[in-house]
Amino acid sequence: MSYKDNFEKRHHQSLKSEKHFEKVCKDNDVYYKSFGIEKAKYSLHNHYYLDYRLQCQPDYQAYLDDDLKFIEVKTFGNPLKIKEYDLESYRHWNIFNELLFFISYNYEKDYLIVSFNKIYNLIKNKLKKYYPDNEKIYYEFTLEELKKL
């Protein structure tokens, strides 16, 4: 998957990964609830008038280890790319409740759960990359390094 893919294709892949997360929760009796602003069905036009922290809300809330967590679902795209802009928003949400990344890979058969703090600490040693179409900064993460976290 690439930033060049159209929105519908990228969105479809995101929905598949969210279904993967929901199935894992159901199979393991984990309570979860949709949380993100995308579920509120804002029009794209209205969405951009919101504060960046509201535009980039975590996808779910879930009870894990007897505590409420925020969950951001990601599709591993070999490598996983996360925009700096999004990381700053996630940092905000992580203050209220621990934020975890559910990273779906291998055609929604496997997954990793990685804390925001561990990923955020990794970016200190990461090379900043820039999307060629809009010059937004992002960081790349390999599956091997994510599995070590």
Side-chain angles (χ1 to χ4, degrees):
M1 182 106 63
S2 165
Y3 76 94
K4 293 179 184 178
D5 292 330
N6 67 31
F7 173 79
E8 288 79 19
K9 182 177 180 180
R10 288 182 284 124
H11 185 66
H12 178 71
Q13 187 60 47
S14 295
L15 291 176
K16 286 172 63 176
S17 295
E18 288 183 9
K19 293 294 181 202
H20 184 201
F21 168 76
E22 291 174 7
K23 181 179 182 335
V24 168
C25 286
K26 288 175 186 171
D27 290 349
N28 292 284
D29 293 322
V30 172
Y31 173 81
Y32 70 93
K33 182 172 176 60
S34 292
F35 181 75
I37 194 75
E38 293 168 356
K39 310 302 190 286
K41 305 212 183 318
Y42 272 80
S43 73
L44 284 178
H45 175 73
N46 290 335
H47 184 265
Y48 292 111
Y49 289 107
L50 296 172
D51 182 277
Y52 77 96
R53 292 165 294 200
L54 293 175
Q55 290 180 29
C56 194
Q57 290 178 4
D59 298 310
Y60 294 91
Q61 293 177 322
Y63 276 101
L64 298 168
D65 303 322
D66 296 323
D67 198 14
L68 183 66
K69 312 281 188 189
F70 285 127
I71 309 294
E72 177 63 22
V73 175
K74 295 288 186 189
T75 303
F76 184 78
N78 199 24
L80 175 65
K81 297 177 181 178
I82 304 179
K83 290 178 266 191
E84 183 176 63
Y85 179 85
D86 291 347
L87 284 168
E88 288 308 310
S89 179
Y90 299 146
R91 191 168 62 88
H92 167 79
W93 289 101
N94 193 54
I95 292 169
F96 300 105
N97 293 90
E98 182 181 12
L99 187 135
L100 303 173
F101 289 97
F102 177 93
I103 302 166
S104 178
Y105 67 99
N106 193 20
Y107 303 102
E108 293 78 45
K109 292 179 186 165
D110 295 309
Y111 66 93
L112 294 170
I113 295 178
V114 181
S115 77
F116 165 81
N117 290 334
K118 288 182 179 178
I119 285 183
Y120 197 76
N121 286 335
L122 271 184
I123 68 170
K124 295 173 190 168
N125 299 317
K126 288 275 181 195
L127 178 67
K128 287 182 179 181
K129 298 203 172 196
Y130 299 86
Y131 284 108
D133 62 332
N134 60 17
E135 294 297 313
K136 287 188 178 179
I137 298 169
Y138 69 93
Y139 301 95
E140 293 183 342
F141 303 89
T142 66
L143 190 57
E144 292 73 29
E145 69 184 331
L146 292 170
K147 284 182 175 182
K148 291 178 186 176
L149 298 177

